[in-house]
Amino acid sequence: MHEWAIAEGIVSTVVSFSLKEGAKKVAKVVISVGELSQLNLEILRDAIKELSEGTIMEGAEIVFQVEEAMFKCSSCGFSWSFSSVKKNLLRMFCGEDVEECDNPVHYVPDLVNVFLRCPKCGSPDFEISSGRGVNIVSVEVVK
Amino acid sequence: MERALDPREVAIDKRFKGIKYSVLVLSGKGGVGKSVISSIISLLLAKEKFKVGLLDLDLHGPVIPRIFSLENMEPEESKHGLVPPEACGVRIMSLAFFTEDKPLPLRGSSKTEAIKEVLAITNWGNLDFLIVDMPPGTGDEVLTAVKYVKGKKGALVVSTPSALTVSVTLRTLNLLKDLKVPIIALVNNMAYLRIGEEVVKVFGNANLVSLTREFNIGEYVELPIEPRINSLIESGKVAELTYTEIALKLGNLIEKLKTRALA
């Protein structure tokens, strides 16, 4: 799992942004997490908290907004959700009946086109219409 | 906040703080020998005890793991990102570690995202040189790689003497000029084949020297067709690539890279 590496990016980005804004402290950070990244939010939250220690982000409220991952086929126009096909992906890498496991899409979400196909026409040519990765949606600071 | 912040942007900046110099190995066309040249340059630098990374960004034809016989390896997870596998002193990262031999059917924006992701998650540690085997062409993925390979960098452009390739090479050179990327060298690969005492120009004799003058490129290298290269790769003797005629011809270029990295 690479939650720690993601957390490093989040903390560095928030601290850098807040300092530029002239903040003394970060009060709240809202983070959008795409479902496709398959991040473990507990680990991510703990990593952010630990890495924030000693920075102006220490003690900030962390809010995650999980964005549903959706795909749209460029060949037939069909739309479907990642949750409806997630088991197929996990089965390829970890066998049957697992809820989560390490797989390439966790590290590079765009690799989903390598492993999944449009459920309707079988095409690998589809786009990720939502829920791809991680973004910092808002930062509330105290000046 | 006017727009959402992408944490990968800062993460990429931090990764490149540990890298002294990056060499973008580009070509307008595929199949001109970019990956082999990237590999040999990496090996030559590693042989001189420099810390070297080799990043395979050829999304549709990644062959670097194959050249280094690392097809069955995977990057290792660490607290600070994915640690690239190492062979012959070269740390190597490629999407082929994740996709194996499967095709990667990506459109433009997805290519950009995939490249950003790889640059953000790879924990190179400190490097003297990062050699980047770039995607061919002048499309999205090249623009993304040029933008996000941060810090000191220069380009090495690979062509062949075929008139068709040279016309595409001209476009690559113009793009680099517009993007203000210094061009370290122009490499004319597959320029000749030695058959006994005879030198045969198999793929033509286009004038690449005039391009070096036009674009003020300090180094021009002509490399032979060397059948031994293929047999060394196929037999897994990658370290021996440093004893080939091509490696010998790249000697001056290696000295130039050292000067640039240490400047």
Side-chain angles (χ1 to χ4, degrees):
Chain A
M1 309 296 267
H2 70 137
E3 282 75 2
W4 278 86
I6 303 247
E8 272 185 346
I10 291 171
V11 173
S12 300
T13 304
V14 171
V15 168
S16 160
F17 169 80
S18 305
L19 288 173
K20 275 184 199 155
E21 293 289 306
K24 284 184 182 155
K25 196 158 178 53
V26 178
K28 183 178 175 183
V29 182
V30 180
I31 301 160
S32 164
V33 180
E35 196 187 4
L36 196 54
S37 62
Q38 304 164 69
L39 291 169
N40 182 315
L41 297 186
E42 278 180 43
I43 297 175
L44 185 61
R45 185 186 300 280
D46 289 345
I48 292 172
K49 284 194 171 171
E50 193 176 318
L51 293 167
S52 304
E53 283 172 16
T55 74
I56 59 168
M57 194 178 159
E58 184 171 348
E61 184 188 353
I62 307 296
V63 178
F64 293 123
Q65 294 176 344
V66 177
E67 189 185 20
E68 185 183 19
M70 293 293 298
F71 308 117
K72 185 171 185 190
C73 181
S74 306
S75 295
C76 72
F78 183 67
S79 290
W80 71 100
S81 67
F82 177 54
S83 58
S84 68
V85 293
K86 186 177 175 183
K87 278 198 170 170
N88 301 345
L89 178 76
L90 298 187
R91 201 174 291 137
M92 281 180 213
F93 297 96
C94 318
E96 301 287 336
D97 296 329
V98 286
E99 292 298 318
E100 60 179 59
C101 76
D102 247 6
N103 62 78
V105 179
H106 169 57
Y107 296 107
V108 184
D110 293 274
L111 293 181
V112 71
N113 292 70
V114 176
F115 303 105
L116 295 181
R117 296 289 178 264
C118 169
K120 196 171 176 192
C121 73
S123 172
D125 182 11
F126 60 87
E127 63 180 54
I128 303 165
S129 36
S130 66
R132 187 197 166 282
V134 175
N135 280 295
I136 298 155
V137 179
S138 72
V139 180
E140 283 179 28
V141 298
V142 179
K143 290 190 179 178
Chain B
M1 268 169 56
E2 287 173 10
R3 59 180 177 88
L5 302 173
D6 183 345
R8 292 174 302 177
E9 305 261 345
V10 174
I12 292 170
D13 277 349
K14 285 178 93 173
R15 300 283 185 211
F16 278 94
K17 288 213 165 87
I19 298 171
K20 284 187 188 160
Y21 194 81
S22 299
V23 182
L24 308 175
V25 183
L26 301 110
S27 68
K29 284 179 77 67
V32 298
K34 205 166 35 66
S35 300
V36 169
I37 290 169
S38 301
S39 300
I40 295 177
I41 289 171
S42 302
L43 287 163
L44 288 168
L45 289 165
K47 205 173 166 182
E48 293 197 35
K49 306 294 177 202
F50 287 105
K51 290 178 188 162
V52 182
L54 174 53
L55 174 61
D56 183 0
L57 282 187
D58 192 342
L59 303 184
H60 300 296
V63 294
I64 297 292
R66 173 106 195 259
I67 292 174
F68 283 81
S69 302
L70 288 176
E71 297 107 309
N72 299 320
M73 293 291 288
E74 280 180 15
E76 262 185 49
E77 177 82 48
S78 82
K79 204 170 172 181
H80 302 287
L82 295 180
V83 179
E86 192 171 319
C88 304
V90 181
R91 300 171 206 175
I92 293 163
M93 184 52 134
S94 170
L95 280 181
F97 289 134
F98 303 112
T99 62
E100 297 164 356
D101 288 333
K102 296 179 182 69
L104 182 53
L106 294 185
R107 287 175 181 266
S109 63
S110 291
K111 290 180 192 173
T112 297
E113 294 294 339
I115 289 172
K116 279 177 79 174
E117 208 70 53
V118 170
L119 293 173
I121 63 175
T122 307
N123 176 13
W124 295 103
N126 291 322
L127 292 179
D128 295 306
F129 293 97
L130 177 66
I131 311 300
V132 187
D133 183 14
M134 296 278 282
T138 51
D140 283 0
E141 57 267 54
V142 172
L143 296 174
T144 303
V146 169
K147 179 178 174 187
Y148 287 102
V149 171
K150 305 285 178 89
K152 277 203 291 184
K153 65 188 168 197
L156 190 157
V157 177
V158 183
S159 184
T160 74
S162 143
L164 293 176
T165 307
V166 173
S167 67
V168 185
T169 299
L170 184 60
R171 293 179 200 198
T172 304
L173 293 169
N174 274 313
L175 178 72
L176 290 168
K177 189 178 165 191
D178 291 344
L179 293 172
K180 299 184 171 47
V181 179
I183 304 168
I184 311 162
L186 178 60
V187 175
N188 184 2
N189 195 25
M190 308 181 202
Y192 58 91
L193 174 67
R194 283 187 203 281
I195 305 173
E197 296 295 305
E198 199 182 352
V199 171
V200 185
K201 305 261 183 179
V202 180
F203 292 116
N205 200 9
N207 186 0
L208 285 164
V209 179
S210 65
L211 288 181
T212 62
R213 282 195 291 269
E214 188 180 339
F215 288 88
N216 196 23
I217 304 169
E219 185 75 19
Y220 172 70
V221 191
E222 280 194 355
L223 299 178
I225 298 167
E226 202 171 358
R228 190 174 157 229
I229 297 277
N230 193 51
S231 54
L232 288 175
I233 291 169
E234 289 305 312
S235 56
K237 294 175 182 167
V238 66
E240 290 186 32
L241 290 175
T242 58
Y243 299 105
T244 55
E245 186 178 343
I246 287 181
L248 192 69
K249 294 261 180 182
L250 288 169
N252 274 347
L253 178 62
I254 296 297
E255 291 307 313
K256 279 219 156 146
L257 292 178
K258 282 154 60 178
T259 310
R260 281 178 186 254
L262 301 172

